[in-house]
Amino acid sequence: MSNNNASSSLIIAQRAVKQLRLEASIRRIKVSQAAAELKQFCLQNASKDPLLMGVPSSDNPFRPPKSCSLF
Amino acid sequence: MSEKVLKSPEFSWTARSIEYYSTHSPHLFVHTVDQLAERRALNFALDLQGVVSRVEEKMLASSEHGLRASLKEEAKRGEISLLPFLFPSLCFIPSSLISFIPSNPHLFFTVEEGQEKERVSLQVKLDQQSALGRASEESVSRLCNLGQWNLKELIGEHRARGDWDQVAGDKVLTLSGKVTVIMAAEKAEMDALKKECDGLRAQIEAARKAVNDTTMTAAANGVAPLGRVQLKLRKSLKGHLAKIYAMHWSEDSRQMVSASQDGKLLVWDTFTGNKLVAVPLKSAWVMSVAFAPSANLVASGGLDNICTVYNIKAASPKTLRELDAHTGYLSCCRFLSDSEILTASGDTTCVLWDLETGKQKTVYTNHIGDCMSLALAPDMNMFISGACDSLAKLWDLREGTCKQTFSGHTSDINAISFFPSGNAIITGSDDCSCKMYDLRSDQEVTDYTDATLNAGVTSLALSNSGRLIFAGYDDFNCHIWDSLKGEKVGVLSGHDNRVSCTGVPADGMGVCTGSWDSFLKLWN
């Protein structure tokens, strides 16, 4: 174990403290408020969500085009 | 300084184990308990190289039991003298054997100051290499004058030698060696930093708890359930010859690029099912692919550690740039524009590159595990990354700093995505669960787990309203979750192997799944 190892562990520990100080300082809103806003976003945009509403066959870009067969 | 000569009947010892044995320099570690008043426990290495040959003979048997027996025999005949480096104001208690190299054996001792006012503790490294010499007066006296020395000046190596002695016809080993003093003030600082870290973590947890007044599922109680979401398979895109590892939609919601370990990128027209462009790769070990918003460029990378950007609008695909600076595999890449691209790597960093110069603009360092996935925020000022350290991190793109860290997963995070409002993120992990974290309350708000799902999550994508989460699993299926209520509402079954990638186009008209079975499937 050399002093070099001790110094780099020290630097790593100093960086960890700096990062934690940053993360500890943010403002947090209540989960109830956050959840309400997420819920509202989903409900407000539901009508514009094709996977939720369903895609009418005439407008379905992925549906293979219907073809007529003549016998 | 007194030399203690302890006769074997006065103390007992047991050989612990052979750490290393070689015919040139046999060593044993002997744990002894001093039965004198101080009751010190010492670990010291006995260099038996100079000892009576019959012990050496016995050692060749190399069985611990045999050795113990042989040492006991030896103890009856001789004495073991210990030179405990008693300084006038210091006494030391060896802590434990930290390392041993046959040519340079070391022991660690903790030295605690005795009657002095400053109770300093030092870790002293004892080199047993010169155990056969006598403690030189110079070094011992230097150490003895410890009271007058600045402890910091002690850092370094001091030579002290011991010797085999003849006392009344018996062999005596004097413990001695090189004394290296390490870790003086640094230990104190490290301890203080660790304490601060623990304190800050507790502070963050408390702050999160303080705002945790409900869960997402509880808040969504009044929301009408979705019922069964049944999507139909509309197209199966065949063309790749090996496992598909990644896919990405173009912003036009029509073209899509896929990457396979058959060494090709294929650009598809998903409306017709036709292949538009085939890009041969230098390295077949591709793990990620991205479509530029302009649709002029695609990028890919993998085990070659390089992110290669191709111009697919040229007559034949041309390599525009090779971004080569990562020291680990490329797990994910996303274009910000035709001039900037973000990459995530197994070297635990994410990097923002300038495509005009081919150089790194910003390196995002903070993860302690391989970065597996990244996603850009709708406003393009932030991005999120998921890594094998089971953490998701939110980064400020321009500042290069990590703003928030989200924990909760118990294994690698393989997939990550923003909720369309930009205020929440969804992660998918090898721990078989997905989680939603809200950015503004800085915590997990929903956990998407099912007792019947025992496969890791490989990929995920959200529908345009954010209500549906499409998560690809190792169980060959893509399961659909109601993001608000936390319930499984459907499944996309059809692949014959692991679903490795999932994507919903910008217009939200469908979902694409790619699999190790070499097929891409389109559903809506």
Side-chain angles (χ1 to χ4, degrees), chain B residues 97-230:
Chain B
L97 184 68
I98 300 298
S99 72
F100 174 74
I101 308 157
S103 58
N104 197 18
H106 295 81
L107 290 170
F108 281 96
F109 290 81
T110 306
V111 180
E112 279 184 80
E113 197 153 6
Q115 288 87 27
E116 296 295 297
K117 282 181 200 151
E118 306 126 15
R119 300 200 75 82
V120 177
S121 113
L122 305 169
Q123 279 199 322
V124 174
K125 192 163 75 172
L126 193 65
D127 178 359
Q128 275 301 289
Q129 197 171 24
S130 49
L132 296 183
R134 176 183 280 283
S136 72
E137 281 201 357
E138 186 215 294
S139 59
V140 172
S141 64
R142 194 172 158 208
L143 292 164
C144 280
N145 291 330
L146 201 58
Q148 301 163 23
W149 285 68
N150 183 337
L151 287 166
K152 277 207 170 130
E153 291 178 33
L154 266 188
I155 295 172
E157 289 181 344
H158 312 278
R159 201 141 185 89
R161 293 172 64 238
D163 208 349
W164 285 107
D165 232 331
Q166 291 282 118
V167 174
D170 293 321
K171 275 246 180 221
V172 171
L173 168 68
T174 307
L175 191 74
S176 62
K178 219 180 335 182
V179 177
T180 306
V181 177
I182 58 171
M183 279 179 56
E186 281 186 356
K187 187 177 193 298
E189 198 180 338
M190 281 293 284
D191 289 345
L193 285 171
K194 188 180 180 298
K195 208 172 169 195
E196 196 177 351
C197 264
D198 293 341
L200 285 166
R201 287 205 177 94
Q203 194 187 317
I204 291 172
E205 276 324 296
R208 284 176 174 157
K209 215 170 168 199
V211 295
N212 188 299
D213 54 351
T214 186
T215 62
M216 182 71 242
T217 39
N221 251 331
V223 177
L226 290 173
R228 194 101 194 116
V229 172
Q230 280 169 320

Side-chain angles (χ1 to χ4, degrees), chain B residues 11 24 179 229 232 234 296 334 358 376 460 485:
Chain B
F11 69 94
H24 304 294
V179 177
V229 172
K232 290 202 171 70
R234 300 300 177 184
N296 294 330
R334 285 290 177 261
L376 277 165
L460 61 87
K485 287 181 157 307

Side-chain angles (χ1 to χ4, degrees), chain A residues 6-18, chain B residues 190 193 197:
Chain A
S7 305
S8 60
S9 321
L10 202 62
I11 291 170
I12 290 169
Q14 285 165 344
R15 283 201 194 126
V17 167
K18 193 175 169 201
Chain B
M190 281 293 284
L193 285 171
C197 264

